[in-house]
Structures are given as structure tokens and as C-alpha cells.
Amino acid sequence: MIGAALSLVLGAQAAAPVPPRPVAPVVRLPPAAARRPVAYDDVGGLVVFRVRIAGREAWALLDNRAERSFVDLGFARAAGLTIDPRASVRVDAGTALNGQRVEQVAVAVAGQFAVMLPSMTGIDLVPVSRSIGRPIALVVGADFYRRFAVATRPGARTIAFLPNGTVERTARAVDLLDARPRIAITLGGKRMIVTVDTGLSGALILTPAAWARLGIPDTACEDSSFRTGDGRARTGRLCTGPAVSVGPLALPSTRVFIDAVDGANGDGLIGMGLLGLAGGMTLDVSARKLWLVPPGEMVR
């Protein structure tokens, strides 16, 4: 349950406000003819890809539920970035993660974009890196998802950051109910409201109340546990769930982890263990659309 660990450590975080900077991020996009998708690695269902931070090669992780993007403090120090000792950022997810403001961070993805961020929140990402098995220097969070429509193509193993409002003509649109972003799915014939979580490697996490509505006997479940990114143990129930459908995706059954989830997320979370089965996925938070390509149809 690596993804559950990440969603608890990063996606569920609430950060104390950092003193604002008046300068907006400066974004540069290559000409349309020069734009090309970037290869990514599927690490236990999670999307990990190469970026350049302050001119240095690094690994980045997609996690739309991280309320902001994070840079690893150790990487920032090694890259010679300025860390403001006066600006401490509280990352409150019941974890040991603490943050500081890192000034003037240049982030670039080849063939996609280059952005100069006036500041970022720096945290210790070593526990996350340990969970994933890659030295993660950047978590691409909700601020990037507001700026781009983020497209992943599991068949081709590529990622692209597209203009907001891009229409995916080979895909079916699922309406986002809000900016969290929540969507409606059908599980066991019942409508459930769940939050999309690209940092969740599993298929579904449901609250105990949502699972109870399905009326499935306990024999479908077993005790399970995992460790969060900061090493804490978390226990819950792993169950065999009923048929599930979302957009063009329809499965006769799915694995569901039962655990407490912030009520603002609805009945639970839907992760890449389910959404990654689509032929392609584009999350466009600004346009309130989740585009899903039918399974088996590879798009580039």
C-alpha cells in the first residue's frame, strides 16, 4: 500500500501559510511542434519521471492530493538553493514531516515546460523515497494540476502536461464535482463519491460507513497493514469489493482498503490501481474533467 502511505503523508497534509511572495511563477512552454511526451516509470502503480531542478537531474512523483508541490530539502541544499531559515512551514498530517521555504526553484520537464517558482515548500522526502525505492526530489502536487491538464498513457508509459481545456477526442469525459477533485463512481450498484488520488497505488480506499452501505459480509475481508512514508504502521481491512464502473472502466470486482478518510473526500479515494487500467488518463482540474480512454486503446 505504497500509495496509501503517500496519500496519508502528503495528500492529507494541511500546511500553515507561508508569507506570500508578490512575484508569480514564470512558465515557459516550447513551441507546439517541439512538444513531446516524457517517459515515466511505473513504480508499484505510481508515476515517477525525470525532471531538472536547478539544472540537476532528479526524480519526480505525481500526487495531485498534495495541496502544494514539495522539493526535498537535502536535494535543495546539495543543489545550492536558498533555504529561508526564518520561514518554517508546518506540514500537519500526524507525521514527522516539517518544512521550510526554498527560494527561486527552477523546474523543467524536457519537451513540456520550464517554470521558475519564487518559492517552494521543502520537506524531508527521504521516507517517501525509501517507500518507493527511488530518490524522489520533487512531489508534483495540486499547484501543477491547476496549471496543466496532466495526461498519462499507461500503454506508452508517457506523461504530458497539456493546456487546460484540452479535449481528448479518443476518451470519455467524467465530470469532476469539485477541485479536490471528487468524482462519482458506481460500486456494487450504488453511487459513491470518491476523490481522485494519483499518489495512491491501490484501487480504492473506502470509509467504514461507505463499505457498510454495500452490505458485503466480513468473510470478504482480511486484516491488513502498511507503513506510511514516515515509517508509521497503519492497519485496516482489505476486502474483495463488488463490480465497479467509472467512465469507460468496468470491472467485475476490485480490491478495497477500508480505512478512515477525511469526510471532505466523500466516501473515499480512487487511485491508480483502478484508473491506471484505462488506455489513457488526463486529469484537468481547471476544466473539471477527467478524461479516460477505454482499456485496450493505447493513445500517444
Side-chain angles (χ1 to χ4, degrees):
M1 295 295 290
I2 290 175
L6 293 174
S7 84
L8 288 165
V9 171
L10 297 177
Q13 61 85 28
V18 178
R21 289 295 194 197
V23 181
V26 177
V27 182
R28 296 192 306 276
L29 302 177
R35 291 179 64 84
R36 61 187 184 279
V38 175
Y40 73 80
D41 287 355
D42 182 325
V43 182
L46 301 176
V47 175
V48 177
F49 59 103
R50 300 295 282 177
V51 298
R52 293 188 72 86
I53 306 172
R56 294 192 174 197
E57 287 283 335
W59 285 105
L61 166 74
L62 285 184
D63 186 357
N64 69 293
R65 282 192 67 239
E67 292 181 4
R68 61 180 62 158
S69 296
F70 297 105
V71 63
D72 178 63
L73 278 173
F75 182 94
R77 292 189 187 97
L81 294 171
T82 300
I83 300 173
D84 189 343
R86 302 165 300 173
S88 178
V89 182
R90 179 176 57 85
V91 181
D92 182 14
T95 74
L97 294 175
N98 294 307
Q100 291 180 278
R101 186 166 63 198
V102 181
E103 307 283 5
Q104 297 295 312
V105 184
V107 178
V109 178
Q112 292 295 307
F113 67 84
V115 59
M116 174 60 76
L117 300 168
S119 67
M120 288 190 70
T121 299
I123 63 174
D124 179 11
L125 289 175
V126 170
V128 175
S129 298
R130 190 178 300 120
S131 293
I132 294 177
R134 296 289 174 90
I136 300 299
L138 177 71
V139 173
V140 176
D143 49 335
F144 277 87
Y145 276 89
R146 289 190 293 268
R147 188 171 287 119
F148 298 103
V150 181
T152 53
R153 306 296 186 234
R157 291 283 176 86
T158 60
I159 182 172
F161 294 81
L162 307 175
N164 294 123
T166 297
V167 176
E168 297 281 15
R169 301 192 183 281
T170 60
R172 178 175 166 185
V174 177
D175 291 333
L176 302 182
L177 304 180
D178 50 35
R180 291 194 71 84
R182 298 186 303 171
I183 60 173
I185 67 172
T186 301
L187 183 64
K190 297 185 183 296
R191 186 174 186 262
M192 298 277 182
I193 303 300
V194 292
T195 296
V196 175
D197 187 352
T198 59
L200 174 64
S201 61
L204 284 170
I205 296 179
L206 287 185
T207 66
W211 177 256
R213 295 209 311 268
L214 297 172
I216 295 176
D218 286 344
T219 53
C221 302
E222 59 186 11
D223 291 334
S224 182
S225 65
F226 61 91
R227 289 194 176 275
T228 62
D230 65 342
R232 295 180 305 118
R234 192 170 182 100
T235 60
R237 301 277 283 167
L238 186 61
C239 307
T240 300
V244 59
S245 64
V246 51
L249 289 173
L251 298 175
S253 66
T254 189
R255 296 290 274 171
V256 181
F257 194 80
I258 312 302
D259 198 7
V261 174
D262 184 347
N265 291 312
D267 295 310
L269 306 171
I270 183 169
M272 298 303 288
L274 201 161
L275 296 174
L277 299 177
M281 166 184 164
T282 300
L283 181 56
D284 191 343
V285 175
S286 293
R288 297 290 196 269
K289 296 292 182 185
L290 171 64
W291 297 93
L292 294 174
V293 176
E297 295 184 19
M298 189 178 81
V299 293
R300 295 186 180 274

